[in-house]
């Protein structure tokens, strides 16, 4: 439940505005996550909790370690130390496909839409538990029924994201913004419990940006947890329920957007790197 | 751009030089076979090679490689290693261990699976160029072992194995006689491995078609383009690569068994790295990532290569070109020059070959 | 690992090996009689002979990969090209019949020319068209097949030797047998390796080559003319390949397959050392040469090349980036 509704109940229910603050019902809890490249510390997070059902923004200047943290949490990169539990289950040694399988689904800064495949196939790919994806049932064509279901779900999502007319186009035919939309739609096919969006509106024109952000808010309203990396403060202010700010690998501030936006260290971090 | 039907693509096909060449090959082949004139030796040689056992073997080998390279994007340059274990597995089971030929074929397939796991274990996590080098090395190690003196008891060493294929010829269902395809003539004994070989090619092609249109095939193509995208969607990319290696490997092993039966002999130097390059030429010519590509590629490849060989010999004999070019060694060398140049030209100008999808191949190749 | 510690490592190993070479004398002096040590030092010597040739030819392949990101499958055939060109200038009927030394030098120039020609005429235009890596790889294989068999057409399938130094009595050095020409080859090869090593560490060109091989974008940003460096790298690769071919032709014989047989060992060497590094290739070449020759102590001679390949496979299992390579180059 988004915090504004909580405001109606009691202001005291809001978590503390400090790094590592505990959340009432966290879906993700990270402890002591550290990762360096060569001698350089990329991520150094003591404690982070992500509240279920909220839009949490992960902000910070370039090189703050946001994408690295994403990569580590989703299994695409290894951490030197650290544990994290998703929905109560430990995740730290899982390869990326198992992370995704548990409901922690991410998108990429440079979209990984499959350009050599039609959109509808990109979408079908996302569906979990497809019998036809195993060798023997695949060969014996035992997947027809399930494929129809999957296709229906895909078409529903495509229409939700206004991509229906591009259904049979190759991924490479989409514009940058459309690819970002598709990546989110495709991630939803995976039956995610938490969506991790890496710069979902970077390089997208303003009209499409609004479209994407609308979708994100709608998803949250339907109960999805969203953690997204973002650069631009205004995007963040507009839609986030909670903001976490990183700099040089550490979390320097946490809190509702207005609080973090005014936080002196945050302003410092952005100004300090000529943002 | 959406996929268009054949009819709407016809004008483009007619302007396409590679397609025109292929159509010319088919036309010439028909002419060679059925014309009322005594067929020109060059064309009948070409046709015989294009429809013969060797073409079937290479079509099958290319189907296997197609799974690795065409559909999964794995740059397996040790493919001849699968043919080697298939051929030796089959031959040795009979010649050395006294088993049945059919058991030998199964053992060949089993050894292919083992080889695929070995290659997968060592190399699948590596990037394309490393994978290519390691797979060549593995295949060459196998060849060294097969031809070594120490292995002579099992593999026949340098001399290889013979006389294991009788069981296959014994069950020849074709009645005694001479069968003609236009000007080509086959005895029932020669016709049987050809028919069986192409039959196997068709069967395996159907299996591949069924697999590739399924969700399993879709994941494979996703892994080909972008492994991490596949992983982010919950697919175990490494597992799929292993499955691809095993499937393509088993098909390669079958091709090796077919080759052994066709030649009724197995020698280690049949399995030099250059043979893998020939299979690549066949696959790329036909069109990687398509079901019919390997088959079409093999037929056209052997038609052109055998025709070229025959042409050189005839031209040297008739004095049109210097005699040394007609000598066996030179003809063999000229064939490789043709294949090398052809492979380069294909990859530079037409990486999708005859039937492949240009867009898909460009994405795979980069 | 930085160049200076690499050089120390190489020097140390060479010293150790040299010691080993005279060990039989020391052992005999200590009253120790055995045929193992002379055998050992003999194979070590043979290994160094082969290893130096592999090293010389590997540097070019490794640096071409580092600067252009291209695995030049035709590199082996460029080695053959050098040997065959030297044969043309030296022993071919109808050729100038020069002594092998000037013939060899001309062959090196021819090799350099081939390298430059291939880069300017084939690889540069392809890379400007943004041809994919896999495509480039297959093209280089096609080129290798083409080159090898053009050479076959022209040279024939029969192995030939250069006129000079073909048959010689071996010298006996501390229990080891080596012909004078092989000894000279070893010394020349060692000198060339040292010279190349110095060039790569001290000259501006060498430093630029290593910079581009290490991190192309960074080098470009620092003002290096990357195109020119890549061309120079190809010229060097062609020249060193040609030299390697001539040396190999002197030590063994000239045949159209010689380079391709060497190529797999070159791959083993560069992968062991780290594809893209020059000093890695040098060190890798020596190790592979030693492994190949020393394998004959315990395994049949016909399998010795196989052990070189086994090194390649084992390195990929254990440490894919090689000794000096960096992890990100792998996968």
């Amino acid at each position: 439940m988004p915090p504004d509704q909580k405001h109606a109940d009691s202001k005291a229910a809001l978590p503390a505005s400090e790094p590592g603050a505990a959340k009432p019902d966290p879906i993700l809890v990270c402890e002591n996550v550290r990762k360096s490249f060569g001698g350089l510390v990329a991520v150094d997070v003591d404690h982070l909790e992500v509240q279920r059902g909220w839009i949490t923004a992960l902000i910070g200047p370039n090189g703050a370690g946001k994408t690295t943290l994403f990569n580590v949490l989703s299994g695409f990169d290894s951490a030197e130390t650290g544990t994290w539990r998703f929905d109560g289950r430990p995740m730290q040694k899982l390869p990326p496909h198992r992370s995704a399988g548990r409901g922690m689904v991410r998108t990429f800064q440079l979209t990984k839409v499959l350009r050599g495949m039609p959109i509808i196939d990109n979408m079908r790919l996302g569906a979990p538990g497809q019998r036809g994806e195993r060798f023997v049932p695949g060969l014996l064509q035992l997947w027809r029924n399930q494929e129809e279901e999957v296709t229906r779900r895909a078409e529903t999502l495509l229409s939700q994201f206004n991509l229906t007319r591009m259904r049979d186009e190759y991924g490479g035919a989409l514009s940058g913004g459309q690819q970002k939309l598709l990546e989110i739609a495709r991630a939803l096919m995976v039956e995610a419990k938490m969506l991790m969006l890496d710069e979902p509106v970077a390089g997208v024109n303003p009209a499409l940006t609004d479209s994407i952000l609308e979708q994100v808010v709608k998803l949250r309203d339907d109960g999805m947890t969203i953690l997204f990396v973002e650069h631009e403060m205004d995007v963040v202010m507009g839609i986030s329920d909670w903001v976490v700010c990183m700099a040089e690998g550490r979390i320097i501030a946490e809190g509702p957007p207005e609080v973090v936006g005014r936080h002196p260290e945050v302003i410092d971090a952005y100004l300090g790197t000529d943002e | 751009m959406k996929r268009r039907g054949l009819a709407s693509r016809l004008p483009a096909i007619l302007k396409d030089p590679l397609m025109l060449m292929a159509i010319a090959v088919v036309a010439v082949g028909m002419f060679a076979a059925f014309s009322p004139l005594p067929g020109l030796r060059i064309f009948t040689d070409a046709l015989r090679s294009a429809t013969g056992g060797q073409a079937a073997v290479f079509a099958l080998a290319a189907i296997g490689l197609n799974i690795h390279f065409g559909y999964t994007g794995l740059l397996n340059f040790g493919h001849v290693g699968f043919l080697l274990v298939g051929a030796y597995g089959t031959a040795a089971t009979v010649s050395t261990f006294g088993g049945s030929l059919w058991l030998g074929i199964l053992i060949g397939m089993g050894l292919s699976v083992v080889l695929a796991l070995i290659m997968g274990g060592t190399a699948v996590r590596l990037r394309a160029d490393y994978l290519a080098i390691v797979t060549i090395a593995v295949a060459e190690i196998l060849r060294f072992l097969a031809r070594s003196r120490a292995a002579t008891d099992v593999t026949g060493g340098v001399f290889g194995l013979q006389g294991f294929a009788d069981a296959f010829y014994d069950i020849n269902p074709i009645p005694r006689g001479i069968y003609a395809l236009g000007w080509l003539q086959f005895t029932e004994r020669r016709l049987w491995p050809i028919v069986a070989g192409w039959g196997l090619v068709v069967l395996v092609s159907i299996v591949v078609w069924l697999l590739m249109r399924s969700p399993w095939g879709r994941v494979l193509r996703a892994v080909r383009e972008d492994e991490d995208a596949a992983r982010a969607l919950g697919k175990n990319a490494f597992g799929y690569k292993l499955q691809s290696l095993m499937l393509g490997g088993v098909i390669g092993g079958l091709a090796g068994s077919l080759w052994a039966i066709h030649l009724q002999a197995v020698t280690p130097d049949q399995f030099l790295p250059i043979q893998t390059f020939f299979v690549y030429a066949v696959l790329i010519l036909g069109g990687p990532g398509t079901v019919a590509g390997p088959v079409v590629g093999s037929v056209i490849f052997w038609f052109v290569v055998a025709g070229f060989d025959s042409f050189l010999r005839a031209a040297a004999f008739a004095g049109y070109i210097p005699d040394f070019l007609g000598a066996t060694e030179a003809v063999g060398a000229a064939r490789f020059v043709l294949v090398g140049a052809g492979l380069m030209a294909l990859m530079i100008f037409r990486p999708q070959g005859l039937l492949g999808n240009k867009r898909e191949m460009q994405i795979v190749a980069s | 690992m930085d160049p200076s510690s690499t050089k120390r490592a190489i020097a140390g190993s060479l010293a150790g090996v040299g010691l080993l070479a005279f060990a039989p004398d020391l052992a005999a002096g200590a009253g120790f009689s055995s045929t193992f040590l002379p055998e050992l030092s003999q194979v070590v010597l043979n290994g160094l002979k082969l290893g130096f040739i592999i090293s010389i030819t590997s540097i070019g392949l490794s640096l071409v990969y580092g600067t252009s990101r291209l695995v030049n499958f035709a590199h082996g055939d460029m080695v053959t090209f050098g040997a065959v060109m030297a044969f043309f200038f030296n022993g071919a009927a109808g050729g100038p019949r020069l002594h092998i030394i000037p013939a060899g030098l001309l062959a090196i120039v021819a090799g350099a020319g081939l390298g430059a020609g291939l880069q300017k005429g084939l690889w540069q235009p392809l890379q400007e068209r943004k041809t994919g890596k896999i495509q480039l790889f297959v093209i280089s294989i096609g080129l290798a097949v083409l080159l090898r068999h053009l050479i076959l057409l022209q040279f024939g399938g029969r192995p030939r030797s250069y006129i000079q130094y073909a048959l010689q009595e071996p010298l006996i050095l501390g229990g080891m047998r080596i012909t004078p020409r092989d000894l000279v080859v070893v010394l020349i090869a060692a000198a060339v390796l040292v010279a190349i090593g110095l060039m790569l560490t001290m000259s501006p060109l060498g430093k630029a080559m290593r910079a581009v091989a290490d991190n192309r974008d960074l080098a470009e940003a620092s003002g290096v003319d990357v195109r020119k460096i890549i061309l120079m790298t190809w010229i060097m690769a062609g020249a060193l390949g040609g030299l390697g071919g001539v040396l190999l032709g002197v030590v063994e014989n000239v045949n159209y397959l010689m380079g391709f047989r060497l190529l797999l060992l070159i791959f083993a060497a560069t992968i062991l050392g780290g594809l893209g590094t020059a000093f890695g290739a040098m060190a890798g070449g020596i190790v592979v040469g030693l492994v190949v020759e020393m394998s004959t102590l315990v395994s049949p001679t016909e399998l010795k090349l196989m052990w070189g390949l086994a090194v390649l496979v084992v390195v990929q299992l254990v440490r894919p980036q090689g000794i000096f390579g960096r992890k990100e180059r792998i996968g």
Side-chain angles (χ1 to χ4, degrees), chain C residues 59-115:
Chain C
I59 298 173
L61 185 97
S62 199
L63 281 179
V64 160
Y65 178 80
T67 54
S68 327
R69 285 287 175 274
L70 169 75
V71 176
N72 179 21
F73 221 85
H75 191 78
D77 304 291
M78 287 167 74
V79 169
T80 308
F81 178 77
V84 164
M85 284 308 281
F87 181 81
F88 167 72
F89 288 120
N90 174 264
R97 301 223 133 215
L98 301 172
H99 188 279
I100 184 58
I101 294 181
L105 290 170
L106 285 173
I108 293 175
V109 172
L114 180 64

Side-chain angles (χ1 to χ4, degrees), chain A residues 30-222:
Chain A
C30 313
E31 199 90 46
N32 285 321
V33 180
R34 267 168 255 294
K35 164 100 194 153
S36 8
F37 289 113
L40 227 65
V41 173
V43 169
D44 185 10
V45 169
D46 292 325
H47 193 87
L48 174 64
E49 298 189 16
V50 176
Q51 168 63 19
R52 193 183 304 267
W54 282 5
I55 295 179
T56 305
L58 188 58
I59 66 172
N62 264 328
K66 315 184 291 291
T67 298
T68 311
L69 182 62
F70 255 42
N71 287 341
V72 166
L73 292 178
S74 57
F76 280 92
D77 218 340
S78 57
E80 275 116 45
T81 69
T83 62
W84 51 100
R85 303 180 85 85
F86 182 71
D87 232 2
R89 302 171 73 187
M91 302 281 281
Q92 54 272 9
K93 294 239 194 320
L94 289 185
H97 69 274
R98 299 273 300 280
S99 255
R102 295 250 185 107
M104 206 160 136
V105 184
R106 69 163 296 180
T107 67
F108 294 84
Q109 210 168 347
L110 296 170
T111 62
K112 283 187 177 289
V113 162
L114 293 165
R115 293 168 18 243
M117 239 188 232
I119 306 301
I120 186 72
D121 274 339
N122 264 277
M123 293 293 288
R124 287 183 183 128
L125 205 60
Q130 292 187 52
R131 196 181 309 128
E133 284 181 351
R134 296 202 322 267
F135 185 86
V136 175
L139 174 60
L140 298 176
Q141 315 292 290
L142 299 174
W143 37 270
R144 302 314 202 92
N145 288 335
Q146 209 180 19
E147 183 86 340
E148 273 177 35
E149 254 182 69
V150 167
T151 307
R152 267 197 301 267
R153 257 190 78 210
E155 287 169 343
T156 311
L157 276 171
L158 281 179
S159 90
Q160 220 179 296
F161 280 74
N162 285 318
L163 287 172
T164 308
R165 73 186 190 290
M166 308 289 277
R167 179 196 196 275
D168 295 310
E169 299 288 338
Y170 277 79
L174 262 53
S175 73
Q178 286 174 322
Q179 286 189 10
K180 293 245 174 205
L181 269 175
L182 176 61
E183 235 200 340
I184 300 176
R186 190 178 66 178
L188 287 174
M189 288 291 294
V190 190
E191 286 170 14
K193 296 193 194 143
M194 176 170 87
L195 272 186
M196 295 167 63
L197 307 177
D198 197 344
E199 307 224 12
V201 295
V204 179
N205 70 61
L208 224 35
T209 298
D210 287 341
S211 193
I212 293 176
L213 295 176
E214 244 181 71
Q215 294 287 354
V216 171
V217 172
K218 234 198 297 178
L219 288 169
R220 189 273 319 267
D221 290 341
D222 291 335

Side-chain angles (χ1 to χ4, degrees), chain B residues 126-127 129 149 347 365, chain C residues 65 133 135 302 316 329-330:
Chain B
L126 301 174
R127 228 177 33 193
D129 19 34
R149 210 164 302 157
M347 262 330 216
Chain C
Y65 178 80
K133 273 184 33 136
Q135 263 174 281
E302 60 181 350
Q316 285 304 275
R329 296 182 185 274
I330 310 306

Side-chain angles (χ1 to χ4, degrees), chain B residues 77 132-134 136-137 140 144 273 277, chain C residues 50 53-55 57-62 70-80 137 140-145 147-148 241 248 256-272 275 285 288 292 305 308-309 312:
Chain B
F77 265 92
I133 295 173
V134 173
I136 296 182
E140 273 291 87
F144 271 106
F277 308 155
Chain C
L50 178 63
I53 293 179
I54 299 178
S55 288
T57 45
S58 299
I59 298 173
L61 185 97
S62 199
L70 169 75
V71 176
N72 179 21
F73 221 85
H75 191 78
D77 304 291
M78 287 167 74
V79 169
T80 308
F137 190 83
S140 89
I141 289 195
L143 177 65
V145 172
L147 199 54
R148 190 175 326 146
L248 192 58
Y256 83 103
L257 278 175
M258 60 195 288
F260 181 65
R261 284 210 205 96
L262 197 68
L263 182 67
L264 291 177
L265 295 179
I266 294 176
F267 280 148
T270 42
I271 283 188
L272 173 59
L275 201 54
V288 169
V292 165
L305 290 183
L309 297 179
L312 201 166

Side-chain angles (χ1 to χ4, degrees), chain A residues 257-268:
Chain A
E258 329 80 60
V259 171
V260 174
R262 287 195 304 260
H263 198 291
E265 274 189 60
V266 172
I267 299 177
D268 232 7

Side-chain angles (χ1 to χ4, degrees), chain B residues 115 187 251 356:
Chain B
L115 179 59
T187 62
I251 297 177

